[in-house]
Structure formats: structure tokens, C-alpha cells
């Protein structure tokens, strides 16, 4: 059998090994101190793998991109006595959900979440199948070192819209049938493009972020 040589960056591999080793040390210390059953553990990556060092297939691209390879990441949560063992959940969530989740887990005395775009994941962790949310939005008007393509994205149901600012371009994908985002449906589904553009603009006005502007130079 031919060996898979797609993952061959020694420095990146060493970093991953170091993370694994030290998470193991942390868990062992909690066990030794008899705190394992009273400690919530959240393991989560902030972005997809750096393409120069790893392979995100079948997802497209990686860190710094608005494609799934850049924003779809693993999330593992341990909440002793609350989350059933060996369970998984396919409901899409976002990093903004982590804070309100922790606040609800902690309960009385915790400072409530304000002015952030996130929902508590506790219902999902306790067995519910979905959250009361129709869409996820990403506003990323930056020239990241990897993609150098400022833009935004919105996912609603199976559809995901990406709009780039420089150069201007709109892309629409159905992630249910096209997880690697290879078939741009923007021209064939103008009504869906319009719907998602409207929903993103409404979300952006609600969140009221510091907006990007044209560089005169």
C-alpha cells in the first residue's frame, strides 16, 4: 500500500504532538487532584489547518479563508455528569457560542453574555437536536496572510454564500451536496443569493461592527 505523504511538515507535526502531550499532562493532573469529575473541558481550534503544513481535504483551502477548510473545525466538550458519553452533534455552531455556553454552565454568579453574537450550546449538550438560530455569519474584511481575500460569509441551512470585496465576487454553495465547494451556484440561484445577502446585511446592522472602508491609496 502506498504511503500517504500529504502530511509531511515536521515542525507542524511536532507542534501537534506537543499539544497532545500537554493536554494529556493536564488531564492527568486533574485526575491526580480528584478534579476530573468537577471540571469542564472545551477543546476547540480557532481555524482550519495552515495549508503549507497540513491537508484539509475534502474541505477547500484552510486557515485565513472563508471556505470550509478555514472555518470548519473540531469541537470537543467534556461536562461530567451532564453530557452523555460517546455522543456527537452535527448542528453547526460558532466560536461566539463558547462564552454564553460557559456562563450557563457556571450558573449563579456568572456574568451574563451581552453584545455578542452567540448562543449557549447547553441545550445541544443536553440532547436537543438544534438551536433557535437560522444562520451563522462571518465578517472578515481583512487581507489575511494566507487568502488575502477580504469578505464575508453566511450559512443558512445547507446553503453558504461568500462575498469577496477585493476582487469583488459572489459564490454560493450547497454544502449538503458539495462539501468541497467546487460548484458555484450564484448564477443559477439568484433568489438564494438575494435572500442570503439580505440576511447578512440585516445581521451586520444588528451587530454594528467597525466597518471596513476603501483605502484611497
Amino acid at each position: 500500500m502506498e504511503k500517504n505523504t500529504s502530511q509531511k511538515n515536521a515542525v507542524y507535526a511536532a507542534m501537534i504532538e506537543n499539544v497532545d502531550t500537554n493536554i494529556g499532562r493536564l488531564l492527568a493532573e486533574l485526575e491526580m487532584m480528584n478534579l476530573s469529575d468537577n471540571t469542564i473541558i472545551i477543546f476547540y481550534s480557532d481555524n482550519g489547518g495552515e495549508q503549507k503544513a497540513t491537508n484539509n481535504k475534502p474541505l477547500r483551502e484552510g486557515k485565513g479563508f472563508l471556505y470550509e477548510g478555514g472555518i470548519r473545525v473540531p469541537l470537543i466538550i467534556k461536562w461530567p455528569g451532564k453530557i452523555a458519553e460517546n455522543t456527537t452533534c452535527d448542528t453547526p455552531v460558532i466560536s461566539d457560542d463558547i462564552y454564553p455556553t460557559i456562563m450557563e454552565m457556571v450558573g449563579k454568579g456568572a456574568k451574563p453574555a451581552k453584545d455578542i453574537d452567540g448562543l449557549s450550546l447547553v441545550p445541544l449538550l443536553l440532547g436537543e437536536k438544534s438551536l433557535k438560530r437560522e444562520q451563522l455569519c462571518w465578517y472578515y474584511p481583512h487581507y489575511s496572510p494566507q487568502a488575502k481575500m477580504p469578505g464575508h460569509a453566511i450559512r443558512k441551512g445547507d446553503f453558504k454564500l461568500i462575498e469577496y470585496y477585493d476582487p469583488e465576487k459572489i459564490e454560493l454553495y450547497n454544502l449538503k451536496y458539495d462539501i468541497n465547494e467546487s460548484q458555484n451556484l450564484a448564477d443559477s440561484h439568484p433568489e438564494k443569493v438575494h435572500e442570503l445577502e439580505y440576511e447578512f446585511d440585516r445581521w451586520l446592522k444588528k451587530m454594528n461592527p467597525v466597518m471596513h472602508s476603501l483605502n484611497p491609496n
Side-chain angles (χ1 to χ4, degrees):
M1 181 181 293
E2 183 179 351
K3 292 183 178 180
N4 184 345
T5 59
S6 61
Q7 312 272 5
K8 54 185 179 181
N9 187 293
V11 173
Y12 197 81
M15 293 171 64
I16 297 298
E17 182 181 23
N18 190 51
V19 170
D20 288 346
T21 298
N22 284 286
I23 288 176
R25 291 175 60 198
L26 175 62
L27 296 179
E29 187 72 14
L30 289 172
E31 189 72 30
M32 186 183 71
M33 298 173 67
N34 295 319
L35 293 175
S36 292
D37 293 336
N38 192 35
T39 302
I40 297 167
I41 297 172
I42 300 175
F43 185 84
Y44 184 52
S45 176
D46 62 338
N47 49 248
E50 165 62 64
Q51 286 182 284
K52 293 181 181 179
T54 191
N55 188 331
N56 298 301
K57 290 183 178 179
L59 306 181
R60 182 174 176 179
E61 302 295 356
K63 180 179 180 179
F65 286 83
L66 287 168
Y67 296 114
E68 291 297 281
I71 62 177
R72 181 183 290 236
V73 296
L75 169 61
I76 301 173
I77 300 179
K78 178 186 177 184
W79 191 10
K82 297 290 187 178
I83 302 176
E85 294 184 1
N86 302 314
T87 55
T88 60
C89 178
D90 294 329
T91 300
V93 300
I94 198 166
S95 59
D96 297 325
D97 297 331
I98 299 299
Y99 181 78
T101 299
I102 294 173
M103 292 302 97
E104 184 171 351
M105 287 173 160
V106 172
K108 186 177 180 180
K111 187 176 181 179
K114 293 182 178 180
D115 300 324
I116 63 172
D117 182 40
L119 297 177
S120 171
L121 303 180
V122 168
L124 293 180
L125 300 180
L126 299 183
E128 293 190 19
K129 300 300 182 182
S130 62
L131 294 173
K132 295 179 180 179
R133 174 170 56 197
E134 294 185 352
Q135 64 203 27
L136 293 175
C137 298
W138 296 263
Y139 178 53
Y140 197 71
H142 313 289
Y143 292 88
S144 71
Q146 299 84 13
K148 299 180 177 64
M149 298 168 68
H152 68 255
I154 175 173
R155 175 174 177 175
K156 185 176 182 181
D158 294 325
F159 282 94
K160 176 181 169 185
L161 179 80
I162 304 176
E163 183 170 353
Y164 292 111
Y165 305 138
D166 182 22
E168 293 184 358
K169 186 179 181 182
I170 293 178
E171 299 177 5
L172 176 70
Y173 301 102
N174 186 324
L175 298 180
K176 182 177 181 179
Y177 303 106
D178 183 24
I179 191 60
N180 61 351
E181 295 168 291
S182 60
Q183 302 295 321
N184 185 359
L185 305 174
D187 290 340
S188 59
H189 291 69
E191 73 292 340
K192 181 59 69 172
V193 170
H194 178 74
E195 173 192 343
L196 295 181
E197 284 184 321
Y198 172 78
E199 293 294 344
F200 181 84
D201 288 343
R202 188 170 68 166
W203 171 85
L204 199 62
K205 290 178 182 177
K206 176 183 176 182
M207 299 310 300
N208 192 30
V210 176
M211 296 293 295
H212 66 286
S213 60
L214 183 66
N215 187 337
N217 299 318

